[in-house]
Amino acid sequence: MNTVLEMVLPLLYKWYNFLTVGEGLREAYVNWPRWAKDFRLVNFDPRGLFPEYLEMVLQYGFVTIFVASFPLAPFFAFLNNIFEMRLDANKLLSHFRRPIPQRVKDIGVWFKILDSIGKLAVITNAFIIAFTSNFIPELVYRHVVSDRNSLDGFLDYSLATFKVADYPPHYHPDSPTAPDYCRYPDYRQPPDSPTPYDYAPIYWHILAARLAFVVVFENVVCVIIMFIKWVIPDMPFRLQEQIRREAYVTNEIIVEQELRRAREGGEDLSGTPLRPNRARRRYRGASWGGQPSKGEVEV
């Protein structure tokens, strides 16, 4: 629905702008110059990219936060983005005026939002895997309960027993063929134990294992992210060295200009008149890497 609105609304605005033109000029539309036709397109608002960023951020949030619940979400998001990219290109070329380019350093606050969503997604997926799946209970059963390190008998072990006679009187089944016991997925004491229906010790073992899995999962993902950032930095090392070199050369040029100006004016860089024979001009330059260094030039 959002994609349909993105395509229909600019088209309606374009038609409205065209209808506001006089009838005589409208008939000569075919012979209009290119700039006149572009002027009748929809004006590209300075905040025109805000809905696009918002749409992508919402999609990224839903895909990453709940990817453990629906692993096919990234695939469908990829297909959607392929069509979205072509539709946006057609919309910008056919329905909007050419936007005025602006030089920006990065995507601004959207980067922090995406980074926060990514960190939240790690925590959310860790809890989804730990508390909504049988991954941890099966792991605990295999290594703690089972004698053969297998899942034989896991289903029966994961079901608690409830005695039908323990129902309140108004909940008792009327059927004479009703069973005496029923099973439900939980880890509780049986009805004939000293503490019936309380949590069994294995429940606390599984809970501790789930919390430990959340902590381990988060730390492993953080280590992987740090490794990827180290392998693929935001700015290549060669570019960093080139920027430092340019800063160094720029500072050297500034120092040379200041020295030449001071030599011609007969003053040092602080404005003090130079002595006739031995004058020292103090300057502050930049060493390799952009760190300032002091020096003196004797004239």
Side-chain angles (χ1 to χ4, degrees), residues 14-28:
K14 178 182 176 181
W15 287 345
Y16 174 77
N17 291 339
F18 180 72
L19 293 176
T20 56
V21 181
E23 185 175 354
L25 295 176
R26 200 184 312 162
E27 295 176 354

Side-chain angles (χ1 to χ4, degrees), residues 82-131:
I82 292 177
F83 291 102
E84 185 82 15
M85 183 171 55
R86 303 316 307 167
L87 291 176
D88 287 344
N90 179 69
K91 178 180 66 176
L92 292 175
L93 291 175
S94 304
H95 304 324
F96 284 96
R97 298 177 190 172
R98 182 178 300 176
I100 300 175
Q102 298 179 1
R103 186 175 181 178
V104 295
K105 183 179 180 180
D106 49 29
I107 62 175
V109 71
W110 295 108
F111 179 80
K112 296 182 179 179
I113 295 175
L114 292 173
D115 184 64
S116 301
I117 292 176
K119 295 177 180 177
L120 178 63
V122 174
I123 301 174
T124 304
N125 285 285
F127 276 96
I128 289 176
I129 296 173
F131 286 89

Side-chain angles (χ1 to χ4, degrees), residues 22-203:
E23 185 175 354
L25 295 176
R26 200 184 312 162
E27 295 176 354
Y29 176 78
V30 180
N31 299 324
W32 283 14
R34 181 74 262 175
W35 63 266
K37 293 181 180 179
D38 291 344
F39 183 75
R40 284 298 169 182
L41 297 178
V42 182
N43 185 24
F44 191 82
D45 186 52
R47 296 179 66 255
L49 290 179
F50 179 83
E52 305 296 336
Y53 274 117
L54 181 61
E55 181 182 0
M56 291 295 101
V57 168
L58 290 176
Q59 182 193 88
Y60 176 77
F62 281 114
V63 169
T64 55
I65 292 177
F66 304 107
V67 65
S69 301
F70 185 52
L72 287 177
F75 173 73
F76 288 111
F78 174 71
L79 295 180
N80 174 78
N81 290 341
I82 292 177
F83 291 102
E84 185 82 15
M85 183 171 55
R86 303 316 307 167
L87 291 176
D88 287 344
N90 179 69
K91 178 180 66 176
L92 292 175
L93 291 175
S94 304
H95 304 324
F96 284 96
R97 298 177 190 172
R98 182 178 300 176
I100 300 175
Q102 298 179 1
R103 186 175 181 178
V104 295
K105 183 179 180 180
D106 49 29
I107 62 175
V109 71
W110 295 108
F111 179 80
K112 296 182 179 179
I113 295 175
L114 292 173
D115 184 64
S116 301
I117 292 176
K119 295 177 180 177
L120 178 63
V122 174
I123 301 174
T124 304
N125 285 285
F127 276 96
I128 289 176
I129 296 173
F131 286 89
T132 63
S133 67
N134 284 328
F135 174 71
I136 300 300
E138 290 177 356
L139 197 65
V140 173
Y141 180 84
R142 178 178 295 176
H143 295 283
V144 176
V145 179
S146 178
D147 297 332
R148 296 176 294 178
N149 290 333
S150 65
L151 293 177
D152 296 339
F154 171 75
L155 180 61
D156 182 71
Y157 189 82
S158 62
L159 297 176
T161 304
F162 185 82
K163 190 175 182 180
V164 177
D166 292 337
Y167 274 121
H170 54 281
Y171 285 125
H172 280 179
D174 298 332
S175 175
T177 59
D180 296 332
Y181 296 92
C182 63
R183 309 295 299 274
Y184 60 98
D186 205 348
Y187 299 93
R188 293 182 179 270
Q189 298 286 3
D192 55 351
S193 66
T195 56
Y197 308 124
D198 286 347
Y199 284 117
I202 192 63
Y203 169 82

